[in-house]
Amino acid sequence: MKAYLIQKYGDQSAVGAAEIPDPEPGADEVLVKIHAASVNPLDFRIRDGDFKLILPYRLPLVLGNDLAGVVVRVGSAVTRFSVGDEVYARPGKDRIGTFAELIAVHQNDLAHKPATLTMAEAASLPLVALTSWQALVERAQVQPGQKVLIHAGSGGVGTIALQLARYLGAHVATTASAANAALVRELGADIVIDYRAQDFEELVEGYDVVLDTLGGKTLEKSLRVLKPGGKVISIAGPPDADFARELGANPFLRQVMNALGSKTRRHAKRRGVTYSFLFMKADGDQLRELTRLVDAGAIRPVVDRVFPFEQTREAMEYAEKGRAKAGKVVIAMA
């Protein structure tokens, strides 16, 4: 099969097309013919080697972290899927590789594709939808009437998190460009802050939850807009000890990760709030819950542009350079 992979860690020049053997599904795995995949910032970070100490992938490595497609074979222990099923998934972190024609996915990471979506639309959702669910539902346990701030509301995670927060009954604020103000309001934002012209720290206060997708100074300021007992959940900030434990990291690596996040945790503790780092995980059950919301019209995908499979490198470059106006960049295999 054809795939886009890296032979070594590096920049965009390290990504190339290659013919590799078709994957063989294990007993609990489903072989999927990929119809579409989407590009995520995680792809660039894996390509660059940012996670090589904590996610020791074997090279060469096929890139890509979510997909939509059709089941072409099932393992002997598979009970949830049959040949011909239309499915979508964010494969487990140890089983990535969706910039390819085929992939073997564990049945627990897979869900039936929303009936109301095209393959390209479905492929845009798994990673960002699961990130939003795990941040707002699983970790923050957002309740009706709570105040939630979501950074970068027009981004891949932001466009879905806004809709999910609205569905949960929260009062939602977001940061976005003026050009995307109408879109993020349509997606669920009650307050839109123009990040180019306004300082969100001066405009909002007393929030219950902040979903930080940017890190750095944005994360520091986010701690200050929370009410006592509030929570910042970040997908871009420093890792913490809980993340190290989830990974099963060795004692040295746990110590390193704990040190990386110590300053942020100290600042949070002084303000009577909490900070946690989220590295989303594959979860077919959660994806099925999200499918229900999509088919009910509570959540819709936002796709900026679809590239053909032969232009996978161009699609990655387009996304990495921030050319997407809103939502996700998708790669269509068929």
Side-chain angles (χ1 to χ4, degrees), residues 40-190:
N40 295 283
L42 180 59
D43 301 314
F44 316 136
R45 299 192 67 184
I46 291 173
R47 178 204 65 199
D48 294 347
D50 290 355
F51 295 116
K52 61 186 176 183
L53 290 179
I54 58 177
L55 297 174
Y57 291 116
R58 295 171 64 180
L59 301 177
L61 173 68
V62 180
L63 298 174
N65 282 275
D66 46 15
L67 69 105
V70 175
V71 175
V72 293
R73 201 190 322 168
V74 298
S76 58
V78 171
T79 58
R80 293 179 170 180
F81 303 95
S82 302
V83 171
D85 286 352
E86 294 187 341
V87 294
Y88 72 148
R90 189 284 202 236
K93 66 181 186 302
D94 300 324
R95 300 164 179 261
I96 71 167
T98 65
F99 296 166
E101 293 175 316
L102 294 164
I103 190 171
V105 183
H106 196 285
Q107 65 172 335
N108 292 344
D109 299 338
L110 203 61
H112 289 95
K113 180 183 78 65
T116 54
L117 300 185
T118 66
M119 286 290 184
E121 289 170 334
S124 75
L125 281 177
L127 187 143
V128 295
L130 286 169
T131 299
S132 301
W133 182 276
Q134 289 165 23
L136 299 179
V137 176
E138 187 175 58
R139 192 166 295 187
Q141 299 179 355
V142 170
Q143 300 298 311
Q146 286 190 317
K147 295 163 68 176
V148 176
L149 171 62
I150 295 168
H151 287 296
S154 64
V157 171
T159 53
I160 306 305
L162 284 175
Q163 297 175 78
L164 182 58
R166 175 176 62 184
Y167 171 79
L168 295 170
H171 173 88
V172 188
T174 194
T175 55
S177 68
N180 284 322
L183 170 66
V184 295
R185 282 196 180 94
E186 180 188 340
L187 295 175
D190 299 291

Side-chain angles (χ1 to χ4, degrees), residues 69-309:
V70 175
V71 175
V72 293
R73 201 190 322 168
V74 298
S76 58
V78 171
T79 58
R80 293 179 170 180
F81 303 95
S82 302
V83 171
D85 286 352
E86 294 187 341
V87 294
Y88 72 148
R90 189 284 202 236
K93 66 181 186 302
D94 300 324
R95 300 164 179 261
I96 71 167
T98 65
F99 296 166
E101 293 175 316
L102 294 164
I103 190 171
V105 183
H106 196 285
Q107 65 172 335
N108 292 344
D109 299 338
L110 203 61
H112 289 95
K113 180 183 78 65
T116 54
L117 300 185
T118 66
M119 286 290 184
E121 289 170 334
S124 75
L125 281 177
L127 187 143
V128 295
L130 286 169
T131 299
S132 301
W133 182 276
Q134 289 165 23
L136 299 179
V137 176
E138 187 175 58
R139 192 166 295 187
Q141 299 179 355
V142 170
Q143 300 298 311
Q146 286 190 317
K147 295 163 68 176
V148 176
L149 171 62
I150 295 168
H151 287 296
S154 64
V157 171
T159 53
I160 306 305
L162 284 175
Q163 297 175 78
L164 182 58
R166 175 176 62 184
Y167 171 79
L168 295 170
H171 173 88
V172 188
T174 194
T175 55
S177 68
N180 284 322
L183 170 66
V184 295
R185 282 196 180 94
E186 180 188 340
L187 295 175
D190 299 291
I191 297 174
V192 181
I193 301 161
D194 181 355
Y195 71 88
R196 291 194 176 104
Q198 300 171 299
D199 185 345
F200 73 89
E201 187 185 3
E202 297 177 357
L203 297 174
V204 298
E205 62 179 354
Y207 272 60
D208 297 278
V209 178
V210 177
L211 175 53
D212 167 48
T213 60
L214 301 171
K217 292 290 185 183
T218 298
L219 172 56
E220 290 180 26
K221 291 182 177 183
S222 294
L223 295 171
R224 299 195 284 266
V225 306
L226 290 169
K227 71 179 187 182
K231 302 174 183 178
V232 170
I233 299 162
S234 179
I235 62 173
D240 55 20
D242 288 340
F243 174 55
R245 281 192 291 272
E246 285 177 19
L247 284 178
N250 62 53
F252 172 74
L253 202 51
R254 289 188 191 185
Q255 192 173 10
V256 169
M257 287 195 218
N258 198 42
L260 288 172
S262 60
K263 180 181 177 182
T264 302
R265 289 197 308 278
R266 284 197 306 271
H267 287 173
K269 187 175 181 180
R270 282 200 295 268
R271 303 195 66 85
V273 301
T274 59
Y275 163 77
S276 64
F277 173 75
L278 174 66
F279 190 93
M280 62 77 56
K281 59 184 182 293
D283 192 310
D285 289 335
Q286 291 178 357
L287 205 52
R288 278 183 279 280
E289 288 293 322
L290 287 155
T291 299
R292 181 178 59 81
L293 296 183
V294 171
D295 283 338
I299 292 176
R300 67 174 176 87
V302 178
V303 175
D304 178 87
R305 183 173 170 184
V306 179
F307 285 79
F309 188 37

